[in-house]
Amino acid sequence: MRVDMRQVTDGTYLVHGSHTNWVILAERDAVTLVDTGYPGDRELLLASLAEVGSSPEAVAAVLITHAHNDHLGSAEYLRARHGTRILLHEAEVPHARREFLHQVSVGTVLRNSWRPGVLPWALHALRSGGTAHVPVAEPEAFALGAPLDLPGRPVPVHSPGHTDGHCAFHLPDQGLLISGDALVSGHPTSPHKGPHLLPDMFHRERARALASLEVLGALDGDLFLPGHGPAHRGPLGESALQARERAV
């Protein structure tokens, strides 16, 4: 199976799944996996681990930026099959358990189906498990404000708006940000290329999503790896500013 993957820094790989990305942080014989794609991306996910010389058994933990199906897709599979820890922001833990679901509704998608790219994206999302029931049975909360004791030493950065508990992950030693859906560089439903916010229908609170851009823009770094779109090089402050300007 062909894996669309880019090594962006030493030990850091951006993998392009079907419309959604995940990141592998490799360190000696262990890896951290950030997000898992759609449920339908499972074979690609496993192939990407093999591509970097790893395996599900070597995944120290899965970090979830937010608990939408296109990021949470294989988390419970890894937990149940391999005992992998699934870590999220504390506000996102009940979301991952599916005590509630803050995800764009079918009705909202239908009302926006006239917009370019929305209908093909929606059909793809349905085929890939975008509306599947994929709760995580035992998600755990991580602590904020310090590097996690995992390969890559990522630092969680709370960046709400897309969801209440959305988190990006900063790797300051690499000048790199894994931005999830708080800052993207492309999406089938968006007219923009380069730094921008996803269309409004995808955000739980647009005002908080805009405010989170200021938080991300204040971080040191010149590369971000988004949940959607290619890696983008350039100062994080400039990327965040460009995204804010495009959102007005």
Side-chain angles (χ1 to χ4, degrees):
M1 176 176 291
R2 181 181 179 276
V3 180
D4 185 0
M5 178 167 57
R6 303 287 184 274
Q7 181 172 359
V8 293
T9 66
D10 186 25
T12 300
Y13 303 84
L14 177 66
V15 187
H16 300 288
S18 58
H19 291 185
T20 305
N21 303 331
W22 55 88
V23 176
I24 298 171
L25 304 175
E27 188 176 286
R28 294 186 293 278
D29 57 352
V31 302
T32 301
L33 184 61
V34 183
D35 289 339
T36 67
Y38 279 105
D41 286 336
R42 184 167 302 157
E43 288 188 18
L44 271 175
L45 179 73
L46 298 177
S48 70
L49 290 171
E51 188 79 10
V52 301
S54 189
S55 67
E57 294 82 2
V59 178
V62 176
L63 302 178
I64 300 293
T65 58
H66 63 293
H68 285 166
N69 273 21
D70 58 333
H71 298 258
L72 193 70
S74 288
E76 177 60 15
Y77 165 83
L78 291 169
R79 190 206 66 80
R81 180 68 65 89
H82 300 286
T84 313
R85 298 176 69 199
I86 311 299
L87 307 178
L88 311 91
H89 185 275
E90 62 180 359
E92 207 71 5
V93 165
H95 195 190
R97 286 197 295 254
R98 287 298 182 257
E99 295 175 16
F100 53 81
L101 179 59
H102 291 161
Q103 187 166 286
V104 63
S105 68
V106 172
T108 298
V109 171
L110 290 175
R111 287 193 297 273
N112 285 271
S113 62
W114 60 273
R115 298 181 184 277
V118 170
L119 191 55
W121 164 82
L123 292 174
H124 173 85
L126 286 171
R127 289 194 298 266
S128 301
T131 59
H133 188 56
V134 290
V136 177
E138 298 177 12
E140 303 173 49
F142 48 57
L144 295 173
L148 299 176
D149 187 17
L150 294 169
R153 303 283 290 170
V155 181
V157 181
H158 190 208
S159 42
H162 187 64
T163 66
D164 291 346
H166 186 287
C167 267
F169 297 97
H170 188 211
L171 281 67
D173 291 345
Q174 297 189 37
L176 182 156
L177 177 70
I178 303 170
S179 58
D181 284 7
L183 176 64
V184 302
S185 61
H187 192 270
T189 66
S190 173
H192 300 300
K193 301 297 180 186
H196 65 278
L197 286 178
L198 287 169
D200 287 353
M201 69 174 179
F202 293 112
H203 299 303
R204 176 160 167 77
E205 294 184 68
R206 183 178 188 273
R208 294 183 81 192
L210 285 167
S212 288
L213 289 175
E214 296 186 18
V215 175
L216 300 182
L219 299 172
D220 290 331
D222 58 4
L223 172 65
F224 76 85
L225 310 182
H228 304 275
H232 182 84
R233 292 192 179 274
L236 293 178
E238 292 182 9
S239 294
L241 179 60
Q242 186 174 0
R244 173 173 278 277
E245 290 172 345
R246 286 174 161 176
V248 173

